[in-house]
PDB file of all heavy atoms in Angstrom:
ATOM      1  N   THR S 252       4.734  10.694  -0.897  1.00  0.00           N
ATOM      2  CA  THR S 252       4.947   9.445  -0.161  1.00  0.00           C
ATOM      3  C   THR S 252       3.644   8.712   0.139  1.00  0.00           C
ATOM      4  O   THR S 252       3.665   7.533   0.470  1.00  0.00           O
ATOM      5  CB  THR S 252       5.671   9.706   1.175  1.00  0.00           C
ATOM      6  OG1 THR S 252       4.816  10.459   2.050  1.00  0.00           O
ATOM      7  CG2 THR S 252       6.965  10.482   0.956  1.00  0.00           C
ATOM      8  N   GLN S 253       2.509   9.417   0.061  1.00  0.00           N
ATOM      9  CA  GLN S 253       1.207   8.824   0.359  1.00  0.00           C
ATOM     10  C   GLN S 253       0.394   8.673  -0.927  1.00  0.00           C
ATOM     11  O   GLN S 253       0.508   9.473  -1.853  1.00  0.00           O
ATOM     12  CB  GLN S 253       0.423   9.713   1.343  1.00  0.00           C
ATOM     13  CG  GLN S 253       1.160  10.048   2.616  1.00  0.00           C
ATOM     14  CD  GLN S 253       1.256   8.861   3.556  1.00  0.00           C
ATOM     15  OE1 GLN S 253       0.383   7.996   3.549  1.00  0.00           O
ATOM     16  NE2 GLN S 253       2.299   8.816   4.360  1.00  0.00           N
ATOM     17  N   ARG S 254      -0.419   7.637  -0.959  1.00  0.00           N
ATOM     18  CA  ARG S 254      -1.318   7.447  -2.102  1.00  0.00           C
ATOM     19  C   ARG S 254      -2.233   8.660  -2.282  1.00  0.00           C
ATOM     20  O   ARG S 254      -2.619   9.315  -1.315  1.00  0.00           O
ATOM     21  CB  ARG S 254      -2.185   6.204  -1.914  1.00  0.00           C
ATOM     22  CG  ARG S 254      -1.477   4.887  -2.176  1.00  0.00           C
ATOM     23  CD  ARG S 254      -2.435   3.719  -1.989  1.00  0.00           C
ATOM     24  NE  ARG S 254      -1.845   2.441  -2.396  1.00  0.00           N
ATOM     25  CZ  ARG S 254      -2.473   1.280  -2.351  1.00  0.00           C
ATOM     26  NH1 ARG S 254      -3.737   1.229  -1.914  1.00  0.00           N
ATOM     27  NH2 ARG S 254      -1.865   0.163  -2.740  1.00  0.00           N
ATOM     28  N   LEU S 255      -2.565   8.928  -3.533  1.00  0.00           N
ATOM     29  CA  LEU S 255      -3.576   9.934  -3.814  1.00  0.00           C
ATOM     30  C   LEU S 255      -4.928   9.435  -3.294  1.00  0.00           C
ATOM     31  O   LEU S 255      -5.168   8.219  -3.248  1.00  0.00           O
ATOM     32  CB  LEU S 255      -3.655  10.190  -5.323  1.00  0.00           C
ATOM     33  CG  LEU S 255      -2.390  10.783  -5.964  1.00  0.00           C
ATOM     34  CD1 LEU S 255      -2.556  10.854  -7.488  1.00  0.00           C
ATOM     35  CD2 LEU S 255      -2.077  12.161  -5.411  1.00  0.00           C
ATOM     36  N   PRO S 256      -5.836  10.344  -2.910  1.00  0.00           N
ATOM     37  CA  PRO S 256      -7.101   9.917  -2.282  1.00  0.00           C
ATOM     38  C   PRO S 256      -8.156   9.441  -3.273  1.00  0.00           C
ATOM     39  O   PRO S 256      -9.316   9.855  -3.215  1.00  0.00           O
ATOM     40  CB  PRO S 256      -7.546  11.195  -1.552  1.00  0.00           C
ATOM     41  CG  PRO S 256      -7.013  12.298  -2.398  1.00  0.00           C
ATOM     42  CD  PRO S 256      -5.697  11.808  -2.924  1.00  0.00           C
ATOM     43  N   TYR S 257      -7.747   8.570  -4.185  1.00  0.00           N
ATOM     44  CA  TYR S 257      -8.642   8.036  -5.212  1.00  0.00           C
ATOM     45  C   TYR S 257      -8.514   6.524  -5.242  1.00  0.00           C
ATOM     46  O   TYR S 257      -7.465   5.965  -4.906  1.00  0.00           O
ATOM     47  CB  TYR S 257      -8.292   8.618  -6.587  1.00  0.00           C
ATOM     48  CG  TYR S 257      -8.050  10.101  -6.572  1.00  0.00           C
ATOM     49  CD1 TYR S 257      -6.817  10.637  -6.979  1.00  0.00           C
ATOM     50  CD2 TYR S 257      -9.024  10.988  -6.125  1.00  0.00           C
ATOM     51  CE1 TYR S 257      -6.574  11.999  -6.941  1.00  0.00           C
ATOM     52  CE2 TYR S 257      -8.795  12.350  -6.084  1.00  0.00           C
ATOM     53  CZ  TYR S 257      -7.562  12.860  -6.494  1.00  0.00           C
ATOM     54  OH  TYR S 257      -7.328  14.200  -6.445  1.00  0.00           O
ATOM     55  N   PRO S 258      -9.548   5.834  -5.701  1.00  0.00           N
ATOM     56  CA  PRO S 258      -9.486   4.371  -5.781  1.00  0.00           C
ATOM     57  C   PRO S 258      -8.624   3.916  -6.947  1.00  0.00           C
ATOM     58  O   PRO S 258      -8.278   4.698  -7.839  1.00  0.00           O
ATOM     59  CB  PRO S 258     -10.949   3.973  -5.986  1.00  0.00           C
ATOM     60  CG  PRO S 258     -11.546   5.150  -6.697  1.00  0.00           C
ATOM     61  CD  PRO S 258     -10.856   6.359  -6.135  1.00  0.00           C
ATOM     62  N   ALA S 259      -8.291   2.646  -6.968  1.00  0.00           N
ATOM     63  CA  ALA S 259      -7.589   2.067  -8.118  1.00  0.00           C
ATOM     64  C   ALA S 259      -8.530   2.052  -9.326  1.00  0.00           C
ATOM     65  O   ALA S 259      -9.759   2.013  -9.182  1.00  0.00           O
ATOM     66  CB  ALA S 259      -7.129   0.652  -7.784  1.00  0.00           C
ATOM     67  N   ASN S 260      -7.951   2.104 -10.518  1.00  0.00           N
ATOM     68  CA  ASN S 260      -8.714   1.983 -11.772  1.00  0.00           C
ATOM     69  C   ASN S 260      -9.818   3.030 -11.870  1.00  0.00           C
ATOM     70  O   ASN S 260     -10.966   2.720 -12.191  1.00  0.00           O
ATOM     71  CB  ASN S 260      -9.319   0.576 -11.892  1.00  0.00           C
ATOM     72  CG  ASN S 260      -8.303  -0.518 -11.641  1.00  0.00           C
ATOM     73  OD1 ASN S 260      -7.251  -0.536 -12.275  1.00  0.00           O
ATOM     74  ND2 ASN S 260      -8.601  -1.413 -10.711  1.00  0.00           N
ATOM     75  N   ALA S 261      -9.462   4.296 -11.586  1.00  0.00           N
ATOM     76  CA  ALA S 261     -10.463   5.352 -11.531  1.00  0.00           C
ATOM     77  C   ALA S 261     -10.500   6.214 -12.786  1.00  0.00           C
ATOM     78  O   ALA S 261     -11.569   6.442 -13.356  1.00  0.00           O
ATOM     79  CB  ALA S 261     -10.215   6.237 -10.305  1.00  0.00           C
ATOM     80  N   PHE S 262      -9.337   6.704 -13.227  1.00  0.00           N
ATOM     81  CA  PHE S 262      -9.291   7.696 -14.292  1.00  0.00           C
ATOM     82  C   PHE S 262      -9.051   7.036 -15.655  1.00  0.00           C
ATOM     83  O   PHE S 262      -8.264   6.098 -15.781  1.00  0.00           O
ATOM     84  CB  PHE S 262      -8.194   8.722 -14.025  1.00  0.00           C
ATOM     85  CG  PHE S 262      -8.431   9.539 -12.781  1.00  0.00           C
ATOM     86  CD1 PHE S 262      -7.827   9.197 -11.579  1.00  0.00           C
ATOM     87  CD2 PHE S 262      -9.267  10.648 -12.821  1.00  0.00           C
ATOM     88  CE1 PHE S 262      -8.047   9.951 -10.435  1.00  0.00           C
ATOM     89  CE2 PHE S 262      -9.491  11.399 -11.675  1.00  0.00           C
ATOM     90  CZ  PHE S 262      -8.885  11.057 -10.481  1.00  0.00           C
ATOM     91  N   ASP S 263      -9.688   7.593 -16.664  1.00  0.00           N
ATOM     92  CA  ASP S 263      -9.510   7.097 -18.027  1.00  0.00           C
ATOM     93  C   ASP S 263      -8.240   7.655 -18.667  1.00  0.00           C
ATOM     94  O   ASP S 263      -7.700   7.063 -19.601  1.00  0.00           O
ATOM     95  CB  ASP S 263     -10.713   7.491 -18.895  1.00  0.00           C
ATOM     96  CG  ASP S 263     -12.036   7.062 -18.282  1.00  0.00           C
ATOM     97  OD1 ASP S 263     -12.078   5.974 -17.687  1.00  0.00           O
ATOM     98  OD2 ASP S 263     -13.016   7.825 -18.385  1.00  0.00           O
TER      99      ASP S 263
END
Side-chain angles (χ1 to χ4, degrees):
T252 67
Q253 306 287 331
R254 283 181 173 181
L255 296 174
Y257 315 120
N260 311 307
F262 296 97
D263 307 323

